[in-house]
């Protein structure tokens, strides 16, 4: 509650100098120096011009980077396609080699069994 009273008091002191139609300070009219006003206005104009050029440069830089990122994304998509094709080929090669190895092992086992059967028959025949 005391905060509200203090707040109202500070508001009244802030706006004490305002009268209908203008400002007053110590009952003396305030003179605005036109030269100071023009100097401040020129300084503000220079700052605004500088900021405008700066934002234009930033915009150009952002556009350049966006184009570069688009090109890089397209290149990455193309390389991803090439890599996926290469990986598919590797999978096929590895599958074929393992299938070939398995077939070769089966053939060796079959040949070994045929030799063993032939030797057994040969031994039986001579007894």
């Amino acid at each position: 509650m005391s905060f509200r009273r203090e707040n109202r008091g500070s508001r009244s002191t802030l706006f004490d100098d305002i009268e209908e139609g203008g400002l007053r300070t110590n009952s003396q009219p305030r003179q605005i120096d036109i030269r100071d006003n023009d100097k401040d206005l020129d300084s503000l104009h220079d700052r605004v011009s500088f900021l405008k050029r700066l934002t234009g440069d930033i915009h150009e830089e952002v556009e350049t980077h966006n184009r570069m990122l688009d090109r890089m994304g397209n290149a990455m998509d193309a390389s991803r396609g090439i890599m996926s094709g290469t990986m598919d080929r590797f999978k096929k090669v590895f599958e074929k080699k393992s299938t070939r190895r398995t077939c070769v092992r089966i053939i060796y086992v079959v040949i070994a069994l045929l030799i063993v059967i032939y030797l057994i028959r040969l031994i039986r025949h001579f007894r």
Side-chain angles (χ1 to χ4, degrees):
M1 187 96 146
S2 64
F3 174 72
R4 287 185 182 174
R5 287 183 191 151
E6 289 174 13
N7 195 13
R8 287 181 189 161
S10 64
R11 276 194 217 161
S12 64
T13 57
L14 281 174
F15 296 111
D16 266 348
D17 295 337
I18 296 180
E19 290 183 4
E20 292 180 24
L23 292 173
R24 69 175 173 88
T25 57
N26 297 334
S27 301
Q28 296 174 1
R30 183 173 176 210
Q31 295 288 333
I32 299 176
D33 190 9
I34 294 175
R35 281 178 269 149
D36 289 340
N37 193 18
D38 287 341
K39 192 186 320 179
D40 291 341
L41 189 62
D42 288 339
S43 173
L44 184 62
H45 177 69
D46 292 341
R47 289 179 186 172
V48 168
S49 297
F50 174 74
L51 287 174
K52 184 177 179 181
R53 285 191 309 269
L54 185 64
T55 56
D57 292 343
I58 290 171
H59 178 73
E60 288 175 19
E61 193 71 24
V62 166
E63 290 295 322
T64 302
H65 283 104
N66 280 339
R67 284 191 297 272
M68 182 179 64
L69 287 172
D70 286 341
R71 286 192 306 265
M72 190 184 317
N74 293 337
M76 291 297 282
D77 288 341
S79 65
R80 185 177 299 130
I82 292 170
M83 285 299 290
S84 108
T86 304
M87 290 304 294
D88 289 341
R89 289 183 190 131
F90 273 126
K91 285 179 187 176
K92 288 178 183 177
V93 166
F94 286 129
E95 288 173 2
K96 287 180 181 179
K97 282 189 176 181
S98 65
T99 306
R100 287 180 188 166
R101 287 179 187 160
T102 306
C103 289
V104 168
R105 288 180 185 155
I106 291 173
I107 291 171
Y108 285 142
V109 169
V110 170
I111 291 172
L113 284 174
L114 289 174
I115 291 173
V116 169
I117 292 172
Y118 178 73
L119 289 175
I120 291 175
R121 284 190 182 177
L122 222 119
I123 292 173
R124 280 188 188 168
H125 185 338
F126 288 113
R127 279 191 187 171

